[in-house]
């Protein structure tokens, strides 16, 4: 089973991923957790470039770098883990590319990004996507003062990203929207309910 978590920084993805992983493992599941971009050495090196505030990166270059990191992650970690029978949980996937580089940066058309996402993901869609929905201002209040290159993009950019995530969530049946403003325990129980329902349909 391939589960992805989406949402802007400050939505609580990391916390809920950890809790879901621990609960699945208690149920006896083999769970592999990765982040996108990240994982393999190649992808981690690309991540360093993408988040380094000292670099100025063209929007199209940014799109290509995210996609390159994703392809390596899929080839080296995600696809082999799924073949092994593991539940794979991924912190971000190509919905983030659509939201950030498509709606936010407006780097290329959404049709071109969709094609790029298909290539970079090796045509593997998530089985279930958890969208941690949260207003921008509340997310900002949870974030650290020190910001990476992406986090320095400014409110107008992130407002477009949020609208992008909301639109994607409305269009994709695999996406479950979770109110990330709720207490952590309530959010976790909602996510666990969604995961159990998905497992029961398999």
């Amino acid at each position: 089973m391939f589960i992805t978590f989406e949402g802007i920084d400050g939505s609580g993805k990391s916390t809920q991923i950890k809790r879901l992983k621990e609960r699945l493992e208690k149920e006896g599941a083999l769970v592999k957790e990765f982040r996108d971009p990240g994982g393999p050495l190649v992808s981690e090196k690309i991540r360093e470039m993408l988040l380094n505030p000292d670099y100025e990166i063209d929007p199209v270059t940014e799109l290509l770098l995210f996609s390159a990191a994703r392809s390596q992650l899929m080839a080296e970690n995600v696809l082999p883990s799924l073949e092994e029978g593991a539940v794979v949980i991924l912190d971000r996937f190509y919905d983030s590319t659509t939201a950030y580089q498509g709606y936010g940066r407006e780097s290329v058309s959404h049709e071109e990004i969709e094609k790029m996402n298909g290539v970079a993901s090796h045509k593997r869609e998530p089985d279930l996507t958890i969208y941690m929905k949260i207003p921008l201002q509340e997310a900002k209040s949870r974030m650290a003062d020190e910001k990476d290159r992406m986090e320095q993009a400014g409110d107008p950019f992130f407002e477009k990203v949020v609208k992008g995530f909301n639109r994607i969530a409305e269009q994709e049946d695999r996406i479950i929207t979770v109110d990330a403003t709720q207490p952590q325990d309530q959010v976790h129980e909602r996510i666990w309910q969604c995961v159990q329902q998905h497992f029961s349909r398999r």
Side-chain angles (χ1 to χ4, degrees):
M1 185 176 182
F2 184 19
I3 304 172
T4 59
F5 276 70
E6 297 287 2
I8 58 175
D9 289 330
S11 61
K13 290 186 286 80
S14 299
T15 298
Q16 293 301 329
I17 287 171
K18 179 182 178 182
R19 294 187 65 167
L20 176 60
K21 181 175 185 288
E22 290 173 350
R23 192 157 183 179
L24 284 167
E25 288 175 337
K26 285 182 180 178
E27 294 292 325
L30 171 63
V31 184
K32 299 289 185 70
E33 174 196 344
F34 306 105
R35 63 181 183 179
D36 181 7
L41 179 61
V42 169
S43 301
E44 288 291 342
K45 291 294 185 182
I46 295 173
R47 180 187 180 89
E48 290 176 13
M49 288 190 292
L50 284 165
L51 300 186
N52 190 330
D54 294 333
Y55 294 159
E56 291 187 12
I57 301 177
D58 177 81
V60 176
T61 305
E62 181 181 275
L63 167 66
L64 294 170
L65 286 171
F66 272 112
S67 298
R70 178 170 303 123
S71 176
Q72 191 67 25
L73 171 64
M74 293 299 292
E76 197 167 330
N77 291 147
V78 174
L79 294 176
S81 296
L82 291 171
E83 285 292 323
E84 187 183 355
V87 176
V88 174
I89 303 177
L90 202 53
D91 185 347
R92 298 195 181 284
F93 197 47
Y94 57 52
D95 294 315
S96 281
T97 294
T98 303
Y100 281 81
Q101 283 71 54
Y103 287 91
R105 299 289 194 208
E106 300 177 344
S107 54
V108 298
S109 71
H110 291 176
E111 290 76 14
E112 290 174 298
I113 288 180
E114 185 175 350
K115 291 179 182 177
M116 179 73 69
N117 288 342
V119 172
S121 66
H122 295 227
K123 301 192 183 304
R124 181 60 163 92
E125 290 189 353
D127 298 307
L128 176 66
T129 297
I130 306 296
Y131 168 40
M132 303 283 287
K133 185 175 181 179
I134 189 171
L136 176 58
Q137 294 306 314
E138 181 160 350
K140 286 176 61 178
S141 70
R142 301 179 178 185
M143 293 167 62
D145 292 334
E146 187 175 346
K147 294 179 171 54
D148 61 36
R149 192 185 67 84
M150 293 298 296
E151 293 168 346
Q152 292 178 0
D155 285 4
F157 168 78
F158 279 102
E159 290 290 358
K160 290 189 289 185
V161 171
V162 170
K163 289 179 181 178
F165 272 129
N166 291 342
R167 188 164 299 175
I168 296 165
E170 292 170 357
Q171 295 171 341
E172 296 286 347
D173 291 338
R174 64 179 164 79
I175 299 180
I176 302 298
T177 299
V178 175
D179 182 357
T181 66
Q182 297 295 311
Q184 287 186 14
D185 288 347
Q186 290 185 29
V187 173
H188 171 68
E189 289 303 326
R190 167 68 172 143
I191 292 170
W192 181 244
Q193 180 185 49
C194 294
V195 171
Q196 284 185 307
Q197 289 174 349
H198 192 86
F199 267 114
S200 69
R201 294 197 297 266
R202 290 169 66 86

